[in-house]
Amino acid sequence: MSSVSSRTQLVHKSTNHLPATLRDVADLAGVSTKTVSRVVNHQKEISEATRLRVQAAIDQLDYRPNILARSLIHQRSNTLAVIAWGIDYYGPSRTIVGIEQEANELGYSLFLSLVSHPTDNHEQILDTLISRRVEGIIWAIPEVGDNRKWIRTNHLDQLPPVVFLTMESRRGISVVSIDNRNGAKQAVRHLLQLGRRKIGIITGPLAWWEASERFAGWQEALAEAGLEASPSLVAKSDDWSSVYGECGMRALLEQSPDIDAVFASSDQIALGALGIAHQLGRRVPQELAIVGFDNTPESAFFWPPLTTIYQQLVDVGGIAVKTLHEMISARRSEREPLQQLSTMLKPELVIRASSLEQNIAPSFHLE
Amino acid sequence: MSSVSSRTQLVHKSTNHLPATLRDVADLAGVSTKTVSRVVNHQKEISEATRLRVQAAIDQLDYRPNILARSLIHQRSNTLAVIAWGIDYYGPSRTIVGIEQEANELGYSLFLSLVSHPTDNHEQILDTLISRRVEGIIWAIPEVGDNRKWIRTNHLDQLPPVVFLTMESRRGISVVSIDNRNGAKQAVRHLLQLGRRKIGIITGPLAWWEASERFAGWQEALAEAGLEASPSLVAKSDDWSSVYGECGMRALLEQSPDIDAVFASSDQIALGALGIAHQLGRRVPQELAIVGFDNTPESAFFWPPLTTIYQQLVDVGGIAVKTLHEMISARRSEREPLQQLSTMLKPELVIRASSLEQNIAPSFHLE
DNA sequence: ATGAAAGCGCTAACAT
DNA sequence: ATGTTAGCGCTTTCAT
């Protein structure tokens, strides 16, 4: 092969950025490609002398095996992909952290694809990822409206294994979620235990599964206590931001002036609600208790510090990747996956001063 | 090739998940692989009749070209990688959003690699990415201590093109940054213009380039005004969190009880500082003005709303990818890149009520 | 307009 | 202990 020597000679010219190949190394070391391959893959059947000689050539040429070629042969890319929305929000970004950690742990590289809106078309993203032969996909776009109806239309078994995040469990698909309904229930039960009876809610955008679940949790907790989930206790939001916390709080105080607690569907909403409560002179928590959802780092420093619901989103990401890995292994060995492939985690109540008066430092009182 | 027909027959068995190949399609359509290739790549020299027949076979087999094989031939993977820290923080995550958008725009897929700490070892990550033949790398790990000394040790020209984020510009490397020093100056000048004269600072972790730049900006702005940057006006932090806002504010009020303004090096720090100011009964901004840095979405809803510095971090990400693309193209065509490959963006001051009394809604006052 | 053959960089199977 | 051959799935000459 005449190309060989010429390439080898070029390698150290600064204008040549073609990476060295197995052939280059083999020629420089005066052995066959298979021998080099043995060294690279740490196989034992090789004499120490040649191993050293080959290693020297590898170092000299700064040789790196081409994973693309390897993947072709092995029919394995060792890559996963996550398709996500909103990584500039706390929750989604935490989930990605968990996904990346576990993927790395299991030896996968991770492709990241983002959509601007949960309802954006994702066909092209999917096409590209399939063409790249990713071995599995984590679907981290929140379920909004019917943006997952394609699961039925498009036959999932023509895709690589997929794990869905944050949705209702369904037969035949793998889902990893936080139990949002339970989280909301915990929040409202906590308020009930404190003796509150007029408990309002500022919802998230109700087309979102998470928002509607939290709403349902609020309703169920009130029902348990024999209280009515009257419409005058509800303020709806178009998104999760603090703006709707402000609007929602104003609306609630107008609709139900005697309200004594509010469950805000996100910490950001809670922040907006707190601001309005202060402006309108309602003391928190004495006259009005407020609970949020997310446990963002800032929430502990709100004024007063916010009682909220902690979601184990890093865990969700990690479990999603483990699940995906299991599905991949199962499909490869043509066996059925062994275990239950959907997981639902119960979030945890974090009690702070926005609901529990005792938690307020003395100097924190206003009066 | 005898393997062909057997594979084709298997394709629709549910246990067979081997993707269809060009060969499979060619055999089904009764043409050569080259002809299929022409259809897939939308080349013109083909009769409409065969094109349709081939397309039918493609659809039937759900064929997707294998990008791995293509990449091998073209010596191009069409992938970029970002190595990042802290995507669960607002700033870094915004940058990633910009990177992903622009990468997608330019036709690259994006690998995401995360490190837990800025000083973590990254050798292995780099090795993997090079083996995957990524065409370029965005270095989004903040500069902390000497965690970038490897740039000199390791010869950068043995790597794919790299763009560094958030550091001092240096000859021979491409950097995209926000001018943190200028941002801090804008914040402090704003306070000076409001007539404040005892302006303290709560720094970030000073081993970080961004933190030390903001600190330097504070010093320079004071110097411009002929004021002394006395140590009693400085409180140092170990990280960017609100805890240090609390500690720092306490320390400052003790060291300099007559302080009339504080520049907090992050919005989170500012949040902690605000809390302590309230606890200790200092009215913000009347007695004590506070300015933050980042313009997180929450900062507009702090109490009072926070004056802060807006960083165009999505833009930083986008520019980084554009720069990288330019470097890749230049290297491929063996020409020198045409333009200046480092960029420094000036952040913007966002004025809210924590510094400017007029900005406070009347009902917002406490007295 | 279509096809045959070579080869991208690597590994697996089978020599020697 | 080491080398030879074939081929992963695709594209690229170069034929026809």
Side-chain angles (χ1 to χ4, degrees), chain B residues 174-215:
Chain B
S174 295
V175 177
V176 182
S177 301
I178 296 285
D179 190 338
N180 279 270
R181 186 180 300 221
N182 172 273
K185 268 190 189 171
Q186 289 187 52
V188 177
R189 282 179 186 148
H190 166 66
L191 293 169
L192 288 164
Q193 276 165 15
L194 294 172
R196 312 286 168 156
R197 279 300 172 269
K198 289 278 275 185
I199 302 174
I201 180 172
I202 308 174
T203 73
L206 287 175
W208 295 49
W209 179 75
E210 290 162 283
S212 71
E213 282 294 300
R214 290 172 198 179
F215 183 49

Side-chain angles (χ1 to χ4, degrees), chain A residues 90 178-190 214 263-267 290-296 299 306-313 345-352:
Chain A
Y90 182 68
I178 296 285
D179 191 338
N180 279 271
R181 186 180 299 221
N182 173 273
K185 268 191 189 171
Q186 288 187 52
V188 177
R189 282 177 187 152
H190 166 66
R214 291 173 198 178
F263 167 53
S265 295
S266 79
D267 282 0
I290 295 186
V291 180
F293 205 111
D294 268 351
N295 193 31
T296 57
S299 66
L306 187 68
T307 294
T308 187
I309 301 292
Y310 167 62
Q311 310 188 67
Q312 307 89 333
L313 290 174
L345 297 178
K346 290 230 181 309
E348 293 162 15
L349 178 68
V350 178
I351 300 176
R352 300 205 187 95

Side-chain angles (χ1 to χ4, degrees), chain A residues 263-284:
Chain A
F263 167 53
S265 295
S266 79
D267 282 0
Q268 301 209 356
I269 290 175
L271 176 60
L274 281 171
I276 294 301
H278 295 323
Q279 277 190 39
L280 302 185
R282 304 279 180 134
R283 293 181 311 156
V284 178

Side-chain angles (χ1 to χ4, degrees), chain A residues 202-229:
Chain A
I202 307 174
T203 74
L206 288 175
W208 295 49
W209 178 76
E210 291 162 282
S212 72
E213 282 294 300
R214 291 173 198 178
F215 183 48
W218 170 79
Q219 289 176 309
E220 289 181 10
L222 288 190
E224 280 174 6
L227 296 172
E228 195 205 354

Side-chain angles (χ1 to χ4, degrees), chain B residues 7-315:
Chain B
R7 289 206 58 230
T8 327
Q9 287 167 10
L10 279 170
V11 156
H12 280 269
K13 289 178 114 175
S14 68
T15 52
N16 183 344
H17 297 285
L18 289 179
T21 70
L22 259 198
R23 262 249 73 81
D24 298 331
V25 178
D27 290 346
L28 182 58
V31 297
S32 75
T33 59
K34 174 63 211 178
T35 302
V36 181
S37 176
R38 285 200 176 92
V39 174
V40 172
N41 296 297
H42 305 101
Q43 290 165 355
K44 280 287 121 197
E45 325 127 312
I46 201 166
S47 77
E48 187 59 13
T50 39
R51 207 193 62 72
L52 285 176
R53 195 148 40 87
V54 170
Q55 188 58 53
I58 289 176
D59 293 342
Q60 185 181 333
L61 297 178
D62 196 29
Y63 168 77
R64 321 276 184 138
N66 184 327
I67 296 194
L68 270 43
R70 233 179 227 175
S71 298
L72 245 195
I73 298 171
H74 288 155
Q75 310 267 54
R76 292 203 56 172
S77 65
N78 277 289
T79 55
L80 259 32
V82 52
I83 309 184
W85 167 89
I87 66 157
D88 44 353
Y89 289 83
Y90 182 68
S93 71
R94 297 284 290 170
T95 310
I96 305 273
V97 166
I99 291 171
E100 200 279 342
Q101 275 176 2
E102 188 64 33
N104 186 47
E105 200 77 29
L106 292 174
Y108 294 99
S109 293
L110 184 68
F111 281 111
L112 175 70
S113 291
L114 300 177
V115 296
S116 308
H117 304 288
T119 49
D120 277 359
N121 186 15
H122 50 254
E123 281 299 329
Q124 209 206 316
I125 295 177
L126 221 39
D127 277 349
T128 303
L129 294 177
I130 296 173
S131 268
R132 290 207 179 272
R133 296 296 187 268
V134 299
E135 297 187 35
I137 296 175
I138 294 185
W139 200 265
I141 303 175
E143 182 169 22
V144 176
D146 60 354
N147 76 340
R148 287 197 182 167
K149 65 169 188 287
W150 64 271
I151 297 179
R152 273 169 242 131
T153 327
N154 237 10
H155 356 262
L156 263 191
D157 54 337
Q158 295 192 181
L159 300 182
V162 183
V163 170
F164 293 87
L165 261 39
T166 318
M167 69 185 290
E168 208 59 54
S169 229
R170 291 187 204 160
R171 254 196 76 74
I173 70 177
S174 295
V175 177
V176 182
S177 301
I178 296 285
D179 190 338
N180 279 270
R181 186 180 300 221
N182 172 273
K185 268 190 189 171
Q186 289 187 52
V188 177
R189 282 179 186 148
H190 166 66
L191 293 169
L192 288 164
Q193 276 165 15
L194 294 172
R196 312 286 168 156
R197 279 300 172 269
K198 289 278 275 185
I199 302 174
I201 180 172
I202 308 174
T203 73
L206 287 175
W208 295 49
W209 179 75
E210 290 162 283
S212 71
E213 282 294 300
R214 290 172 198 179
F215 183 49
W218 170 80
Q219 290 177 310
E220 289 181 10
L222 289 190
E224 280 174 6
L227 296 172
E228 195 204 353
S230 131
S232 68
L233 292 173
V234 178
K236 295 185 177 169
S237 310
D238 292 341
D239 63 38
W240 302 96
S241 72
S242 303
V243 179
Y244 287 96
E246 295 189 340
C247 303
M249 186 55 111
R250 270 189 221 283
L252 286 181
L253 289 175
E254 206 156 294
Q255 295 164 18
S256 309
D258 58 339
I259 206 164
D260 59 11
V262 169
F263 167 53
S265 295
S266 79
D267 282 359
Q268 301 209 354
I269 290 175
L271 176 60
L274 280 171
I276 294 301
H278 294 324
Q279 278 189 37
L280 302 185
R282 304 280 180 134
R283 293 182 310 159
V284 178
Q286 295 89 334
E287 298 166 14
L288 189 64
I290 295 185
V291 180
F293 205 110
D294 269 352
N295 193 30
T296 57
E298 290 82 7
S299 66
F301 298 89
F302 287 175
W303 180 80
L306 186 68
T307 294
T308 187
I309 300 292
Y310 167 63
Q311 309 188 68
Q312 308 87 333
L313 290 174
V314 175
D315 295 341

